[in-house]
Amino acid sequence: MKLAFYGGTFNPPHNGHKMIIEECACLFDKLLIFPNNISPDKKQELLISNKHRINMLKMIINHKNVFIDEFELLSENISYTYYTIQYLLNKYSNDDITMIIGKDQLLNLKNWYKYEYILKNINILCYDRNVDGDFHRFEFKNIKFKEFDFPYSSKYIRNKIKSSKILDKSLMSNSMIDYIDKNNLYK
């Protein structure tokens, strides 16, 4: 089986996340979404409750082969990808595993905890988020690249909400915007 996993804070999930999930649902037999509990590079960032992030993720998942895995949410440790990969390799030992990441994360990969282990044990599908940086320092056969045109981040969306700017359908669906408003999130 071709298995992919996509991790992040999803704080909030947006149309960029949805586009990646939609495409990967068609590329892989199974796609696991891992919302994290404590992101290694966002330790100071205040997350909304896991319940809200899971509810919002469910709003953007429209495929029967896409699942939310709470492994990282249930851990009290920092959500290092290394541990998630060990979990996946143990649970799906006979499957071909691919990690889905954005270019900004790939450029930072050499700073990740046990990044050599990651590169040796899984494939990587990198979505180019139009972030400046050089890919040439990655000469691994297990990394593939996809063009991706969604320049906005969850942080950008949170900042718009905090400053009371109106969100539109280019960032997230009306139902997601309504959910955020109804639950008074990110204010």
Side-chain angles (χ1 to χ4, degrees), residues 79-167:
S79 298
Y80 289 117
T81 302
Y82 166 78
Y83 296 119
T84 304
I85 291 170
Q86 286 189 317
Y87 161 77
L88 289 169
L89 289 172
N90 185 42
K91 190 170 181 177
Y92 301 97
S93 59
N94 296 323
D95 297 331
D96 183 38
I97 300 174
T98 299
M99 176 174 65
I100 312 300
I101 62 174
K103 180 180 177 183
D104 54 333
Q105 292 300 316
L106 181 63
L107 293 171
N108 188 40
L109 189 66
K110 290 193 175 177
N111 297 318
W112 286 21
Y113 181 67
K114 298 195 177 191
Y115 80 93
E116 292 105 345
Y117 177 89
I118 295 169
L119 289 169
K120 287 178 184 170
N121 285 282
I122 59 159
N123 300 308
I124 296 175
L125 178 58
C126 176
Y127 280 81
D128 185 347
R129 290 182 55 196
N130 298 318
V131 176
D132 291 333
D134 184 13
F135 280 135
H136 297 292
R137 55 190 181 137
F138 294 100
E139 300 191 13
F140 295 93
K141 294 177 183 174
N142 62 335
I143 301 176
K144 293 186 179 167
F145 301 94
K146 282 204 148 283
E147 290 296 318
F148 186 63
D149 187 24
F150 189 84
Y152 307 108
S153 66
S154 293
K155 183 176 183 175
Y156 171 82
I157 293 169
R158 288 192 309 274
N159 288 338
K160 279 190 78 124
I161 295 168
K162 283 178 192 171
S163 61
S164 299
K165 293 185 179 166
I166 297 172
L167 298 177

Side-chain angles (χ1 to χ4, degrees), residues 52-94:
H52 287 307
R53 290 189 296 140
I54 288 173
N55 287 343
M56 289 189 291
L57 275 169
K58 287 178 180 176
M59 294 171 73
I60 64 171
I61 295 173
N62 299 314
H63 293 272
K64 292 180 181 178
N65 65 330
V66 179
F67 305 91
I68 297 170
D69 191 306
E70 296 186 23
F71 170 77
E72 292 185 11
L73 289 177
L74 298 174
S75 172
E76 294 184 13
N77 296 321
I78 294 174
S79 298
Y80 289 117
T81 302
Y82 166 78
Y83 296 119
T84 304
I85 291 170
Q86 286 189 317
Y87 161 77
L88 289 169
L89 289 172
N90 185 42
K91 190 170 181 177
Y92 301 97
S93 59
N94 296 323

